[in-house]
Each structure stands twice: as structure tokens, then as C-alpha cells.
Amino acid sequence: MRGEVQVPHEVDVLVVGGGINGTGVARDLAGRALSVLLAEQHDLASHTSASSTKLIHGGLRYLEHYEFSLVRKALAERERLLQSAPHIMRPLRFVMPHDPSMRPVWMIRAGLFLYDHLARREWLPASHAIDLTRHPAGKPLKPQFRRGFEYSDGWVDDARLVVLCAMQARQHGAHVLTRCRCERARWEDGRWRVELKRDDGALYSVSARALVNAAGPWAASFLQQQLQRPLHKALRLVKGSHIVVPRMFEHEHAYIFQNADGRIIFAIPYEGEFTLIGTTDVEIEGDPGDAHADAQEIAYLCEQASRYFAAPVTSDAVRWTYSGVRPLLDDDSGDPSAVTRDYLLQMHEGAAPLLSVWGGKITTFRKLAEQAAQMLCERLGVKSLAWTAQTPLPGGDLSRWIEITHRPDHDIARFENALAARHPELPRALVRRWSRSYGSLVELLLRAGHLGEEVAPGLYEAELQYLCEHEWARCADDVLWRRSKLGLHLSDSQRAAVERWFAQRTPATGTAVRLSAI
């Protein structure tokens, strides 16, 4: 195991929040040679950032709300992200069945034309009309849907994306603390004095030149409670819920369905055996950590999907649900689904460098982090250059295994074949899953030379050891529902076996943290 992690008493920047924005900012800053500490009160990606629809997309529907700048920014990031991490992202073709009672054909064509041309597209194919009576995507649909449109976007394993950003931040010298809550921060003697509390109750003190509030749904409450600062930005907490049902179709396309209420939902191939359907938009109050898919949301998603699929989607078929709370900037939109998904970086007034991150979406996280890092470097008087645009995420550089092309989807398929050829002793299903979870990081999983005990079907001790040593896994849920989605494929007794494996590990084998005790 890694053993004890030495954490300095003083850092340049302390980042609060271990979601995609917090880890993205920490990654960018660390790569600019600043000393960085990231503190996350729970596990990495334990809330909103692991509860998305798992898309790398421009946001086709945002065009109707005239969000051209946001869509252009997201589209410009789409291929860049797909190139950076082909092991956890892939291009995905979407099919929109045309319902004449919804948007007219001319409007859809105009929107797709803009979608194809608002930003440069090098290898993702353009949109076009399709005949659903001939196209494979038409087979699972009701017969009245005879015409449709097809366009490109991408899929991402959102929770793994967060972990990879944290890993790259650590590679550049950042210190990442999970299960460590920021209790209080005050400006004193020219620095932030921050009090942290670990989940075992230990309190610690860290000094920082600058503070980043990337607490996501808790950003407003963190600013008001822990920092005792006024809130000048109105934030709306909008819950998005998803359901997972047994696979509804055999092909690899995804669907975008137009609803009678003006919203849209997606139906996406998921984990081989399932279909992911989402999302809802429900404004909430209270603790974002309590968010869950209620019966009304489940019924709504089943009803809307059943308008299109020939086989009805029923609530008793739902195998799993999850909900995330989006912290959206209040733009006076009455409908939560119309609230902007763009972000705002607020450098607060005063001598203390304090940056709050408001809003945002996964597709634009890298650009957000780059802009945040530039703002902080200017405030701290540090000269630095942006570096993340062309840099692969951990596991994304496959050049030691294969000759790289400009098609990441082709590269990852060739990498899988190369891994299978080099390690014929590995089960082929394991090769496929590891290829598309770890990429070239698989070398770390294989370092011991053996898989060890098979703790649950397809989950070996070598992988569990790796996740604990390198990816901050501390319990079964970290592995089964965030570092992977194996929990969907295992029975109760099999999941319990993973829990027992963690329970048998003594605290001394985990990653300890040394700070200055208060």
C-alpha cells in the first residue's frame, strides 16, 4: 500500500470539492507547478459528478434557448476530450425519431446544421436524415416512427473521469484528501487558515495563499457557513434522476426522445446488459445529499420512453436509479429545464484570493479549469502556460502498446486486442472491461504478476488492491458504484463478498494522512 501521505502545512491553493470541477481545477493548477491540496468531504465523484447522463455533448436542446456560446464551447471540447481518454470515453451516434406533433422537420434540420458547424469537427461524422423502416434503430420503436435523424456526440464514464483528473493532479504533486471536510476557513496574516476534519474525527490545519470553492451543490452553503461570506449569486438546485432497465435494443446507437412537455430524454446503451434512461429536471430545497429518484420521476421516465419503444417500459423493470443535483445559475427561467448549464467563475472582492465555481457541465470542465487556473495565477502573480488541451489523462496514452491514430475509438479496440495477445491468460471479458476502464494503467494492475483471489465474479484481488493504492477506494461502494458499475451485475451475496474483503483490511493498510493536528 502507499502508506502515509505527507501533506505540507502550507500550499499555494486549497481546493474544496472533489467533483469534476474541483479535480479539474486541482489538476490544471498542479500542472502549472503550484502546490495544491484538494479536500473532498466524501469520496471522489460521490454526488453530482457521478450522477450525470454520462454524455460528452454540445447540448442540442440548448440551441432552442439561444445558448449558442455554451453549445459552441462544449462542441469545441468534444473531440478534444474523446482523444484524451479513449479508455473511458467513446463517440456515440444518437437517433432522434421524428414526431410530427413536436418540432417540425425544418427546425430539426436547422438545429442539426448549427450543431455540425458551430465548432470544428475533425472526425466525428455529420448528421443526416434516416429511414427508420430500414435503419436498425427503427426496430425497437413503435411503427408510427418512420423517419428520424442521426447525429454525433460522445459517452463518458463520469466517475472515472473525476478519478483520473485527481490522479493527474497527484502526478503533478497535488495532495488529494478524501473523506475530509472543510469545517472553517478564515483570512489571517495574509493567508487562508483552513480547518479540516477527517471522517475519523481528527482535526487539522492548513494554510493556503488562495482558496477555491468548487463544492458543487454545496457551493452556496459553503460560502455562507464555512466562510461567513455573503451570497451574491442566486443558485438553483435542480435534481436530475435516471433509471436503468434491462436492455431495450441490440444496436449501439442511443436515442434522444422529444416529450410532449417540450423536454427531451435519452435512452442509452449501458453496461452491455442495460439501457439508461434520463433525465428529469426537478427543483429541490434542502440537503443535496438526500436526493433520490422518487416514484413520480420514475413513472415520468417510464411513460415518456414508452411513447417511443414498442415494448413498454414499466417501473417494475427498473433495476437501479440514481439522482444528481445540478447547481445551476439562476437566470430567471421559470422552467428548471431551461436554466442555463453554463458556468461562472467568481473571484470574490477583497484581499483574500477566493474563487467560487458556479454551475457547469462535464463537457466543459477542462475549459472551466483552464480559465480558473489562469485567474488564480494572475491573482497570485504566477506566470504559467495552459497545458491540458493536448495532454492525455492517466491511461489515455496507448502509444506503448499500439500505433496511435486520430480515431480514439479505433485505438481502444486495437489496444484491447494487444492486451489480449500479450496476456492470453486473462479472461476475454476481463480484458475488455479493463481496457475500457484503465487503458494503459492496466500495467499497474498486472504488476504483481497474478490476479489473486476472485472476490466476486470478474473482480479479482489485484484490481481491488490497485483501486485502494492508486484510486482512493476505501469501501465496497467506492468500487462497485463509482470506480466501476459492477454493482449492477452482481447479486446481493456477491456484493457482500466485496464488503467483507474491505472489512478484513486493517486501517493500517489504507492510505494515512499526516497533517498538523490542531
Side-chain angles (χ1 to χ4, degrees):
M1 304 301 295
R2 284 188 175 274
E4 192 172 78
V5 175
Q6 301 293 327
V7 179
H9 299 287
E10 298 183 352
V11 294
D12 291 320
V13 183
L14 193 148
V15 180
V16 177
I20 189 58
N21 290 335
T23 56
V25 172
R27 168 203 183 208
D28 197 304
L29 288 168
R32 297 175 191 240
L34 278 78
S35 58
V36 178
L37 172 64
L38 182 144
E40 161 57 41
Q41 64 177 337
H42 301 124
D43 183 29
L44 296 172
S46 53
H47 297 289
T48 304
S49 294
S51 301
S52 73
T53 315
K54 318 204 184 295
L55 299 181
I56 296 295
H57 68 140
L60 181 61
R61 71 181 180 89
Y62 304 151
L63 293 174
E64 287 190 320
H65 302 296
Y66 307 105
E67 295 259 20
F68 300 115
S69 175
L70 170 61
V71 175
R72 181 184 294 109
K73 185 163 46 182
L75 289 174
E77 288 292 294
R78 198 174 47 175
E79 289 190 4
R80 181 177 289 125
L81 292 180
L82 290 169
Q83 294 275 15
S84 72
H87 51 314
I88 63 162
M89 304 187 200
R90 66 174 185 268
L92 187 60
R93 291 291 277 178
F94 284 78
V95 169
M96 177 188 290
H98 180 240
D99 184 341
S101 67
M102 303 293 170
R103 298 159 178 87
V105 168
W106 69 264
M107 181 182 291
I108 296 174
R109 286 189 182 277
L112 289 173
F113 178 84
L114 285 172
Y115 208 66
D116 284 340
H117 295 92
L118 274 174
R120 184 177 178 181
R121 182 173 38 81
E122 294 186 0
W123 54 272
L124 286 174
S127 62
H128 59 83
I130 57 174
D131 180 355
L132 289 174
T133 65
R134 299 176 179 272
H135 195 284
K139 186 176 180 181
L141 302 178
K142 291 179 177 177
Q144 64 260 37
F145 298 107
R146 304 175 60 84
R147 187 180 186 184
F149 300 87
E150 185 178 323
Y151 69 94
S152 292
D153 264 325
W155 178 91
V156 61
D157 185 329
D158 47 10
R160 290 208 57 74
L161 177 61
V162 173
V163 171
L164 294 185
C165 286
M167 291 178 71
Q168 195 158 60
R170 183 177 60 194
Q171 288 173 1
H172 286 282
H175 301 275
V176 178
L177 307 182
T178 62
R179 274 89 174 183
C180 191
R181 173 182 166 85
C182 179
E183 292 287 288
R184 190 162 73 103
R186 63 189 184 279
W187 183 249
E188 181 180 291
D189 299 328
R191 299 182 69 92
W192 284 103
R193 305 292 175 178
V194 184
E195 297 175 7
L196 303 174
K197 183 178 182 180
R198 282 205 338 234
D199 61 352
D200 62 2
L203 294 173
Y204 303 97
S205 178
V206 177
S207 163
R209 296 174 63 196
L211 188 64
V212 177
N213 171 19
W218 289 272
S221 61
F222 175 76
L223 190 68
Q224 293 175 301
Q225 296 175 18
Q226 278 89 337
L227 301 183
Q228 299 294 304
R229 293 290 188 98
L231 180 64
H232 298 297
K233 300 293 179 185
L235 207 63
R236 295 173 69 173
L237 300 181
V238 178
K239 179 178 61 167
S241 295
H242 301 75
I243 61 174
V244 175
V245 299
R247 187 168 57 189
M248 300 289 297
F249 46 88
E250 298 296 324
H251 59 79
E252 291 302 314
H253 289 70
Y255 294 97
I256 176 172
F257 294 148
Q258 304 173 80
N259 303 343
D261 58 7
R263 299 194 66 257
I264 56 96
I265 63 169
F266 295 99
I268 302 168
Y270 193 59
E271 287 291 309
E273 302 173 19
F274 304 97
T275 298
L276 171 65
I277 300 173
T279 178
T280 59
D281 283 301
V282 178
E283 196 156 2
I284 67 166
E285 296 179 355
D287 186 355
D290 295 334
H292 65 278
D294 60 35
Q296 186 175 356
E297 289 177 290
I298 294 171
Y300 172 84
L301 292 172
C302 290
E303 178 185 2
Q304 298 306 320
S306 297
R307 292 182 58 247
Y308 289 87
F309 285 124
V313 182
T314 59
S315 58
D316 58 1
V318 174
R319 297 290 184 85
W320 183 46
T321 69
Y322 66 86
S323 298
V325 177
R326 312 178 191 99
L328 304 179
L329 288 167
D330 191 351
D331 58 2
D332 297 323
S333 298
D335 182 359
S337 65
V339 181
T340 182
R341 266 56 175 175
D342 210 348
Y343 61 81
L344 176 69
L345 301 174
Q346 181 188 9
M347 186 68 75
H348 297 265
E349 296 180 358
L354 169 63
L355 180 69
S356 285
V357 180
W358 306 108
K361 59 200 296 283
I362 282 181
T363 310
T364 54
F365 90 90
R366 190 207 65 82
K367 192 64 178 178
L368 179 156
E370 186 176 81
Q371 293 174 352
Q374 188 61 39
M375 291 172 67
L376 287 162
C377 286
E378 290 175 1
R379 188 68 184 271
L380 295 174
V382 175
K383 293 184 178 180
S384 65
L385 296 176
W387 63 279
T388 58
Q390 305 302 325
T391 304
L393 285 159
D397 182 0
L398 308 177
S399 59
R400 291 176 54 176
W401 292 74
I402 61 170
E403 184 178 350
I404 302 301
T405 71
H406 293 293
R407 285 295 304 264
D409 51 337
H410 294 174
D411 289 345
I412 196 64
R414 290 167 53 238
F415 170 77
E416 179 185 336
N417 291 333
L419 177 60
R422 193 177 299 186
H423 292 277
E425 75 280 6
L426 297 178
R428 189 61 198 232
L430 187 67
V431 168
R432 179 172 179 79
R433 183 172 69 80
W434 278 11
S435 297
R436 286 162 169 75
S437 296
Y438 304 108
S440 59
L441 290 172
V442 74
E443 295 166 0
L444 295 175
L445 281 77
L446 295 168
R447 182 171 291 176
H450 58 84
L451 295 178
E453 176 191 354
E454 188 174 15
V455 178
L459 180 61
Y460 294 86
E461 195 162 18
E463 184 174 4
L464 289 170
Q465 294 280 5
Y466 160 82
L467 291 171
C468 293
E469 292 180 16
H470 298 278
E471 296 196 7
W472 298 276
R474 290 258 304 271
C475 67
D477 278 357
D478 294 352
V479 171
L480 298 178
W481 299 106
R482 286 183 284 278
R483 307 305 185 276
S484 77
K485 294 298 182 290
L486 287 170
L488 269 173
H489 303 274
L490 302 179
S491 66
D492 289 346
S493 61
Q494 291 164 346
R495 289 192 291 267
V498 182
E499 293 173 357
R500 285 194 299 274
W501 186 88
F502 275 94
Q504 290 165 4
R505 294 164 56 83
T506 64
T509 64
T511 300
V513 178
R514 179 187 292 173
L515 292 164
S516 56
I518 295 174

